[in-house]
């Protein structure tokens, strides 16, 4: 017997989402929520992490009746292997994003593209100086070539450490060196994790997890950080600006193109093409008033930060955006893109277009975008979207709600500029207790939970306690729709945070970019620690991913913990089948790296846990609690 669908009120806190779920059901269109129901109950062995498929002597399931796999591996080994590979997958995703930016820089340096250029030369020079590349009296392209070579080396196997360890406090580097956790090269650590978890290799769970942390650190302090920094160099460093969010940003009278994925290399070109007069005129001849580009997930965050392009939604809004019936094209690059979008696009006039050879979708229209052909391909894609407008069925168009205003663009450089040129005022605000601490809320949506309920409540509870909140990725849209990304949200903050943010004209929740831009938060924590002469683990800071689902989120969480940042998850990874692994994650890492994970599904209780942690850290620094 088919399960009764869950009431839409249980699925999302947003009216625009609920309206589109109802529309999908009325039109017989399956979404993530129906597929989740089809997949439950889940396999308990998989949920515990006690299944192993790493060789064909199995697959094996570890239980009380069968405590060892065919090879003899117990639950601790199997769970550690699975979690290590899970983290390696996440590190590979974000770090490969970083590599793509190096390849664009290489094309610029080699003169192989006219579509991309170095936009922020000052940032390029600053990065070069940090990593030991000579800059004085040298041509920009010569400096860029050396930076490119240095970052390519961060993916190799011949270095003892990655370049951006120059930003890490000395005390933290000493901890990593002692534990054998210093990240040497992105590809090296990922490949070694795959080797270690092959049958007959690393069969000591804590040892496997130490390398999982090293793999995650290679992502946070190299792959992701390179992706963030080179995106700024090529496309411009974000500065504060206003924009809008929710499904209301889709326009009934325009050709609507949604960009989705993670890499701005594609979406920046789509936006540029959509602004060309010839294509706008083509749209007008078909009856549209123009072309509207809006974002989904992290590619949307990239354009939001730099260009002010509106956000249509986060992960659980991607299907629903198409169901408005007003989307001419969804243009994707990679990561967090549900294959179902192809089928749902086929229910409408929507063109689903993929653009990366590493992320093909069966049934999609494919364009293989590279630096040498990016703009030409983008023009073809936008033209395809414009022509699709003629096929739109006005009777199926339903765009719920009106856009809400948001403030975006808070890079570290923008924050330092707002503070008068240094972090000293922020340090003083923390010392005085006006800002008691800071928490980064990052990551995903998961259909197992009411969409954005935990993300929004946690942010609201923290700012009440004078804790500054930084958001990235899918939490951005949640915070924006909740009104927390506006200066007026200081009315919901505690008195100290209200005073500081009010004086600067900024929200108490700052948008810090896409999920790869969690590297900005790492850099900020390191800069604060260096300014105070302490370790990152001494700071009154924390991290959270309340509704996470992906391998990348696991890698982010682990590199935060390994960097000394207390990290909250709204639900556990698949590790509960091993007491050794679970205890190491939620307590043992505290002794090793000065931070650990905490699992708490109630966002109010999670905020209280952060409050206790921040009080303790402030007291240890000799500050008022």
């Amino acid at each position: 017997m088919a399960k009764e669908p869950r009431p839409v009120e249980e699925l999302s806190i947003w009216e625009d989402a609920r309206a589109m779920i109802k529309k999908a059901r009325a039109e017989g269109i399956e979404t993530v929520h129906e597929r989740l129901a089809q997949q439950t109950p889940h396999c308990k062995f998989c949920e515990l992490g006690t299944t192993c498929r790493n060789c064909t002597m199995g697959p094996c399931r570890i239980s009380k009746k069968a405590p060892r796999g065919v090879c003899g591996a117990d639950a601790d080994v199997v769970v550690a292997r699975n979690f290590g590979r899970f983290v390696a997958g996440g590190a590979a995703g974000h770090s490969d994003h970083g590599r793509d930016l190096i390849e664009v820089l290489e094309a610029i340096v080699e003169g192989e593209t006219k579509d991309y250029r170095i936009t922020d030369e000052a940032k390029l020079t600053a990065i070069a100086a940090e990593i030991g590349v000579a800059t004085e009296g040298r041509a920009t392209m010569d400096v860029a070539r050396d930076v490119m070579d240095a970052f390519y080396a961060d993916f190799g196997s011949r270095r003892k450490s990655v370049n951006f360890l120059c930003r890490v406090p000395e005390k933290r580097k000493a901890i990593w060196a002692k534990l054998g956790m210093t990240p040497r090269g992105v590809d090296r650590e990922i490949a070694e994790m795959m080797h270690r978890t092959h049958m007959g290799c690393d069969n000591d769970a804590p040892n496997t997890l130490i390398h999982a942390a090293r793999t995650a650190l290679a992502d946070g302090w190299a792959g992701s950080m390179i992706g963030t920094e080179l995106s700024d160099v090529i496309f411009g460093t974000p500065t504060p600006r206003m924009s809008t969010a929710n499904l209301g940003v889709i326009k009934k009278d325009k050709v609507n193109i949604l960009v989705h994925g993670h890499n701005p290399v594609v979406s920046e070109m789509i936006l540029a093409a959509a602004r060309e007069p010839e294509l706008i005129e083509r749209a007008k001849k078909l009856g549209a008033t123009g072309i509207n580009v809006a974002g989904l997930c992290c590619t949307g965050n990239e354009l939001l930060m730099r260009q002010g392009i509106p956000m249509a939604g986060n992960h659980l809004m991607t299907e629903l955006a198409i169901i408005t019936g007003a989307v001419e094209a969804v243009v994707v690059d990679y990561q967090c893109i549900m294959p179902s979008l192809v089928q749902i696009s086929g229910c409408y006039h929507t063109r689903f277009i993929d653009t990366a050879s590493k992320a093909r979708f069966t049934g999609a229209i494919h364009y293989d975008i590279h630096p040498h052909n990016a703009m030409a391909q983008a023009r073809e894609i936008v033209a395809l979207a414009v022509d699709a407008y003629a096929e739109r069925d006005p009777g199926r168009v339903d765009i719920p709600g009106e856009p809400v205003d948001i403030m975006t663009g808070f890079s570290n450089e923008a924050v330092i500029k707002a503070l008068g040129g240094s972090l000293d005022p922020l340090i003083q605000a923390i010392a005085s207790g006006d800002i008691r601490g800071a928490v980064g809320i990052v990551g995903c949506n998961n259909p197992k939970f009411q969409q954005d309920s935990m993300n929004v409540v946690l942010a609201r509870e923290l700012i009440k306690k004078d804790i500054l909140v930084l958001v990235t990725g899918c939490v951005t849209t949640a915070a924006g729709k909740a009104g927390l990304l506006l200066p007026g949200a200081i009315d919901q903050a505690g008195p100290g945070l209200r005073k500081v943010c009010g004086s600067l004209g900024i929200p108490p929740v700052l948008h810090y970019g896409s999920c790869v831009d969690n590297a900005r938060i790492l850099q900020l924590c390191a800069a604060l620690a260096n300014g105070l002469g302490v370790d990152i683990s001494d700071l009154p800071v924390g991290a959270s991913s309340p509704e996470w689902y992906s391998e990348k989120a696991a890698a982010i969480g682990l590199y935060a913990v390994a960097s000394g940042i207390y990290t909250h998850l709204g639900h556990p990874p698949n590790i509960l089948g091993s007491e050794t692994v679970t205890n190491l994650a939620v307590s043992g890492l505290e002794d090793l790296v000065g931070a650990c994970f905490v699992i708490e599904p109630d966002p109010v209780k999670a905020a209280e846990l952060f409050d206790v942690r921040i009080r303790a850290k402030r007291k240890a620094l000799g500050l008022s609690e």
Side-chain angles (χ1 to χ4, degrees), residues 251-566:
K251 301 302 180 186
K252 189 174 183 178
D253 60 344
K254 292 187 177 183
V255 173
N256 292 294
I257 302 173
L258 302 183
V259 290
H260 180 18
H262 282 72
N263 191 346
V265 170
V266 172
S267 53
E268 285 275 356
M269 289 299 105
I270 297 296
L271 177 62
R275 288 172 168 172
E276 291 191 339
E278 295 84 357
L279 287 166
I280 294 172
E281 185 59 31
R282 184 168 176 166
K284 289 180 177 179
K285 286 181 179 178
L286 291 174
T289 61
I291 302 173
N292 178 46
V293 176
L296 295 167
C297 294
C298 281
T299 280
N301 274 284
E302 297 275 2
L303 289 188
L304 174 66
M305 284 281 279
R306 296 187 179 88
Q307 306 283 358
I309 294 306
M311 284 292 291
N314 54 15
H315 181 59
L316 288 185
M317 300 300 296
T318 56
E319 295 176 315
L320 306 182
I322 299 170
I323 291 166
T324 63
V327 175
E328 276 60 57
V330 178
V331 185
V332 305
D333 44 81
Y334 47 59
Q335 298 175 20
C336 299
I337 302 155
M338 293 192 234
S340 64
L341 298 184
V342 179
Q343 286 75 51
I344 293 177
S345 293
C347 297
Y348 299 90
H349 68 296
T350 306
R351 306 314 195 241
F352 185 90
I353 300 160
D354 65 33
T355 61
S357 60
K358 68 185 77 173
R360 295 289 298 267
F361 291 77
T362 302
I365 302 167
H366 181 65
Y367 283 82
D368 207 7
I369 292 185
H370 297 281
H372 72 274
N373 70 355
M375 194 60 189
Q377 295 280 76
R379 290 188 182 107
E380 288 188 27
I381 290 170
V382 173
L384 193 69
V386 168
D387 292 345
Y389 181 82
E391 299 176 25
R392 185 194 288 184
D393 181 352
R396 297 185 71 193
V397 172
D398 182 3
I399 303 171
E402 293 296 324
V404 298
D405 292 332
I406 60 175
M407 180 179 277
T408 180
F410 290 97
S411 60
N412 287 326
E413 289 83 353
V415 169
I416 289 170
K417 183 177 180 181
L419 293 172
S422 80
L423 288 174
D424 289 346
L426 178 58
I427 292 172
Q428 291 165 10
I430 293 171
S432 70
D434 287 336
I435 297 177
R436 295 180 52 247
V439 172
I441 308 180
V442 308
C444 324
N445 295 136
N446 189 319
K448 292 181 178 180
F449 311 103
Q450 185 187 36
Q451 181 196 5
D452 289 329
S453 57
M454 291 191 282
N455 292 331
V456 170
V457 171
L458 179 59
R460 283 180 170 151
E461 290 298 314
L462 289 172
I463 63 174
K464 287 179 188 176
K465 302 177 188 297
D466 286 323
I467 298 171
L468 179 69
V469 172
L470 312 176
V471 294
T472 64
C474 283
V475 183
T476 303
T477 307
K481 290 168 74 169
L484 297 175
L485 298 186
L486 289 173
I490 60 173
D491 291 343
Q492 301 180 52
L497 187 58
R498 188 183 312 135
K499 180 176 74 173
V500 173
C501 293
S503 68
L504 296 172
I506 61 173
V509 178
L510 302 182
H511 176 216
Y512 244 60
S514 66
C515 58
V516 78
D517 290 336
N518 290 314
R520 294 192 199 276
I521 301 177
L522 279 185
Q523 185 185 1
L524 178 61
C525 288
L528 289 170
N530 285 325
L532 291 167
V534 300
D535 191 8
I536 294 173
S537 62
D538 298 320
L539 297 174
V541 299
S544 175
S545 192
E547 301 176 29
W548 75 282
Y549 81 88
S550 76
E551 294 171 317
K552 295 181 300 173
I556 292 164
L558 189 52
Y559 73 57
V561 169
S563 296
I565 301 171
Y566 178 76

